[in-house]
Amino acid sequence: MWGGKVINEEDIQQINTRQSILDAASKLIAQKGVKNTSLADISKEVGISKGTLYYYYSNKNDIIYDIADIHLKQMTEELLAWIDNIEHNTPPEEILRVVFERISTAETRGKLHLYLVGDAVTSNEPLKQRFREKYGEWRMTLENGLRKVLKKGTVDYEILSHIILAALDGFTIQWRLGVDIIPIDGIANFIAKVE
């Protein structure tokens, strides 16, 4: 059963092929970028014909949207897991440090995130809209998490959530560029002490 539907072997094969396409496309986009990844590259990487690829995806944008949806869902799940796993005795600076490190230093996902954001910002309006919506969700998730972690009535949680979200993007960029050492511990300590 899958989603309340009985699935047969053909359905499983289709699900596996679709996932293989998305995995291959994600890998190629993380290596080469959105614009430099072609449908021919993807079909070759998967080991299927272009015709078979067209059966699953009629154009590259459909693949990009599915990759973006999976990527954005994973990022959202990580932030939600962060909130759910907050223990009341864990120091706020430790929680912030873990969030900064896990999200900004994920090698393949970090590259993929930057390529997708770049495509959304420069030329892909539907992808831009998806990112806008997710950034709003992420910011609210962060704001709720900060309320749980910091518990200081004088903190402007909304402003701080914007700062942390911008910092996560900035850290991801700096990590990919190989900027010297990013003082994540110091930054987490600083934010945890905001009054």
Side-chain angles (χ1 to χ4, degrees), residues 34 71-72 111-123 127-128 131 135 138 169:
V34 174
H71 169 70
L72 295 170
K111 285 182 184 177
L112 182 62
H113 182 74
L114 293 178
Y115 280 127
L116 291 172
V117 167
D119 197 50
V121 169
T122 59
S123 63
L127 188 57
K128 180 190 271 187
F131 268 95
Y135 269 93
W138 294 342
D169 278 340

Side-chain angles (χ1 to χ4, degrees), residues 89-153:
N89 58 353
T90 303
E93 58 273 11
E94 177 63 20
I95 294 166
L96 289 167
R97 183 188 63 74
V98 169
V99 168
F100 286 149
E101 284 180 352
R102 288 176 90 198
I103 291 178
S104 63
T105 63
E107 182 68 31
T108 301
R109 196 175 65 222
K111 285 182 184 177
L112 182 62
H113 182 74
L114 293 178
Y115 280 127
L116 291 172
V117 167
D119 197 50
V121 169
T122 59
S123 63
N124 193 324
E125 193 60 40
L127 188 57
K128 180 190 271 187
Q129 183 58 37
R130 289 176 189 207
F131 268 95
R132 262 193 225 125
E133 291 167 8
K134 284 301 175 182
Y135 269 93
E137 284 180 38
W138 294 342
R139 198 209 50 76
M140 286 301 299
T141 300
L142 282 168
E143 184 178 334
N144 293 332
L146 289 167
R147 288 180 194 285
K148 267 179 97 170
V149 171
L150 298 180
K151 298 178 187 163
K152 297 175 185 174

